[in-house]
Amino acid sequence: MGILVQKFGGTSLSTPQARDHVIRHVKRELGHGYSLVIVVSAMGRKGEPYATDTLLDWVSQNGDALPQRERDLLLCCGEIISATTLCSLLEKEGVPSTVLTGAQAGFLTDNSYGNARILDVRPERILRELRAQKVVIVTGFQGQTEDGDSTTLGRGGSDTSATALGAALRAEMVDIYTDVNGILTADPRIVEDAKPLSYVSYTEICNMAYQGAKVIHPRAVEIAMQAQIPVRVRSTFSENEGTLVTHPEGFQESQPGIVDRFVTGIAYVSNITQISVDCPDGNGSGVQLQIFKSMADSGISVDFINVTPTSAVYTVFDNHSEQAIAVLQEIGLRPKSLSGCVKVSVIGGGINGVPGIMARVVEALSDHNIQILQSADSNTTIWVLVKKEDMVQSLRALHSKFELHR
């Protein structure tokens, strides 16, 4: 057998009971003959002793003036605690193990502290340890600059560490363990009949992740897609194989006879403000340039952009809306805004070129008197903007319309 990369998130390691499940997953795959590389996140969530957000709170309570370089040094501690804890537990079970930091595992990054990009992965040390018949536990979320400074990879960085290692090691698979049983057709907290998906394409899960599904980070998926490394999203607390993420040809290899589908899932992003600006006097292009250049100069990210000769409509996050409106007013424009909106996404690799998908979206929402404030589409996604109070009904109506509960 080849190399398998397993990534365990913070909830997978936060309690003794959860760690028992982790040990079982490790021993099962060793029994199957795999060489194992395990990537770990910091334990738990905000408020728990070793979580990343808890460490950030510690900084805020003690001067809140730590430079970003030194902040990254502190944040590396959470994953080190997780990795050494797991190492101790595996050794107790008779499983020879070793811990490598991101730097020792070969992660070379740029010096964008807090959100570093991986420049290279040099896994020679990992391969030596695997040849010595050891399980290699790697601290996720971190790397090192050419100068030897510790860096962190930003939110979702442990997922990114795992797929980057999978690519560098040419692993057979990367297993991402979380507290949910794979990827679902919608958020089960809102859509009660959401169903787990047995497979999704790289493109579909990238879009789902970018549009609000938080099971796996899109940067991680992009790395796996480039390297053509299959990924499984699985539950730490189940033996179920979860959701396979691969290219569509891989579906046929692993699950022959599958039925094609138009829509894979429904996702959403909330807390959005819609901004619209009229462009009078036939100077649309000049006003539009002013609008988007002013947003860029102010560091405000814009999304959901619709431009016509007489107007520009786009969205920003609610927490940037006041600044965005003030900037536009300073250059003499009169923007209109609507805060508290939600961007709902209908995602599926089968959407492109199929007549009637948008008609079904409109029908589903119209049947519940839900106003579409804005819409856009791509090869794999249709987006609609709705008011916050219509979010729940929108998700349920679209999920039902495309029969994703079946």
Side-chain angles (χ1 to χ4, degrees):
M1 299 291 285
I3 295 171
L4 178 69
V5 177
Q6 296 179 310
K7 181 263 175 176
F8 293 101
T11 55
S12 300
L13 298 160
S14 59
T15 67
Q17 294 78 15
R19 293 191 285 272
D20 285 343
H21 285 283
V22 170
I23 298 297
R24 283 198 286 273
H25 289 303
V26 172
K27 294 176 76 172
R28 182 192 65 240
E29 301 301 350
L30 288 173
H32 290 161
Y34 282 109
S35 296
L36 287 188
V37 177
I38 301 172
V39 176
V40 296
S41 299
M43 291 185 200
R45 291 178 174 164
K46 186 173 182 177
E48 297 179 78
Y50 312 118
T52 298
D53 284 333
T54 303
L55 295 174
L56 289 170
D57 282 349
W58 179 254
V59 173
S60 67
Q61 295 162 17
N62 289 273
D64 201 19
L66 193 63
Q68 194 63 61
R69 174 185 172 277
E70 283 70 23
R71 188 176 298 243
D72 271 12
L73 189 61
L74 170 67
L75 295 186
C76 288
C77 296
E79 280 70 24
I80 292 172
I81 292 169
S82 289
T84 52
T85 300
L86 181 58
C87 181
S88 178
L89 292 170
L90 287 173
E91 289 282 349
K92 182 182 178 183
E93 293 288 322
V95 178
S97 309
T98 190
V99 172
L100 299 179
T101 64
Q104 292 165 339
F107 281 90
L108 180 69
T109 76
D110 63 18
N111 61 355
S112 300
Y113 300 108
N115 193 30
R117 306 295 293 189
I118 298 170
L119 302 177
D120 196 11
V121 181
R122 301 165 181 172
E124 292 79 10
R125 174 80 179 272
I126 293 176
L127 292 169
R128 288 203 306 271
E129 300 292 352
L130 291 177
R131 286 193 291 269
Q133 305 297 309
K134 291 184 178 181
V135 170
V136 180
I137 306 168
V138 177
T139 55
F141 176 63
Q142 57 184 247
Q144 182 175 265
T145 68
E146 287 278 15
D147 292 333
D149 289 334
S150 296
T151 56
T152 64
L153 306 182
R155 292 297 182 184
S158 291
D159 289 350
T160 305
S161 298
T163 56
L165 278 178
L169 294 165
R170 299 182 181 178
E172 289 192 13
M173 185 84 69
V174 176
D175 281 342
I176 306 288
Y177 285 91
T178 72
D179 54 358
V180 295
N181 194 17
I183 299 162
L184 277 69
T185 52
D187 186 337
R189 296 169 298 181
I190 296 173
V191 182
E192 293 179 353
D193 57 355
K195 297 293 184 184
L197 294 160
S198 57
Y199 63 91
V200 294
S201 70
Y202 294 117
T203 301
E204 286 171 327
I205 189 54
C206 254
N207 282 327
M208 291 176 77
Y210 276 121
Q211 302 310 324
K214 297 179 173 64
V215 178
I216 184 172
H217 198 278
R219 280 170 65 187
V221 181
E222 288 169 354
I223 291 171
M225 179 167 56
Q226 291 167 12
Q228 296 292 291
I229 302 293
V231 176
R232 286 182 299 198
V233 179
R234 311 180 63 174
S235 170
T236 304
F237 309 99
S238 166
E239 294 295 313
N240 190 293
E241 292 202 356
T243 303
L244 174 67
V245 183
T246 185
H247 52 79
E249 294 79 8
F251 303 160
Q252 296 291 349
E253 294 170 7
S254 61
Q255 301 185 41
I258 62 171
V259 178
D260 195 10
R261 63 196 179 202
F262 297 128
V263 173
T264 300
I266 312 294
Y268 69 97
V269 179
S270 56
N271 302 317
I272 287 174
T273 295
Q274 182 192 53
I275 296 176
S276 57
V277 185
D278 291 331
C279 306
D281 305 325
N283 187 29
S285 60
V287 174
Q288 290 153 9
L289 176 59
Q290 283 184 294
I291 292 168
F292 296 113
K293 189 173 187 306
S294 69
M295 295 296 101
D297 291 345
S298 301
I300 300 172
S301 177
V302 301
D303 189 26
F304 217 156
I305 303 164
N306 293 137
V307 172
T308 72
T310 59
S311 68
V313 182
Y314 62 97
T315 61
V316 300
F317 284 110
D318 282 348
N319 59 344
H320 292 149
S321 62
E322 288 187 11
Q323 181 188 5
I325 292 165
V327 166
L328 294 173
Q329 290 172 338
E330 285 173 6
I331 59 175
L333 299 175
R334 296 181 178 179
K336 299 175 184 176
S337 66
L338 180 63
S339 61
C341 297
V342 178
K343 181 181 178 184
V344 177
S345 305
V346 176
I347 299 160
I351 286 177
N352 188 35
V354 178
I357 300 294
M358 186 61 188
R360 293 173 73 180
V361 170
V362 174
E363 183 180 31
L365 300 182
S366 297
D367 285 348
H368 292 87
N369 297 314
I370 296 169
Q371 182 184 16
I372 297 175
L373 303 170
Q374 199 176 338
S375 68
D377 70 282
S378 71
N379 287 340
T380 58
T381 308
I382 293 173
W383 301 276
V384 292
L385 192 70
V386 301
K387 295 177 181 177
K388 181 179 181 180
E389 56 265 31
D390 292 327
M391 180 188 77
V392 171
Q393 192 61 63
S394 296
L395 294 170
R396 291 174 178 172
L398 291 167
H399 195 268
S400 176
K401 174 61 70 174
F402 290 101
E403 300 183 337
L404 297 180
H405 57 288
R406 293 189 175 181

